[in-house]
Amino acid sequence: MWPTAGVYENPKPNSVVVKTKHAGDIVGASTCEGAGYNEYGYVLVTTDAAADGRGWMREEAVVQS
């Protein structure tokens, strides 16, 4: 489990981090949408911190509960 993980504006490693989540934090997702960039996989999460309300997190940092 990752101690912290960034919520990115776009699903790319060089994208702006709009929020940082900590281990155990709950993130919301309205769909099961995903995206890939090179070897990285991202999942869509909802966040007020992103311009469009949609943020992206590395899939390895998210655990389904």
Side-chain angles (χ1 to χ4, degrees), residues 1-22:
M1 183 177 288
W2 294 14
T4 62
V7 179
Y8 298 89
E9 184 73 39
N10 298 298
K12 296 180 180 177
N14 61 349
S15 178
V16 174
V17 174
V18 294
K19 192 174 212 176
T20 300
K21 296 301 247 176
H22 300 276

Side-chain angles (χ1 to χ4, degrees), residues 2 8 10-15 34-43 56-61:
W2 294 14
Y8 298 89
N10 298 298
K12 296 180 180 177
N14 61 349
S15 178
Y37 184 85
N38 291 341
E39 71 272 17
Y40 302 110
Y42 294 85
V43 293
W56 297 88
M57 293 185 73
R58 292 270 307 275
E59 65 184 21
E60 297 88 1

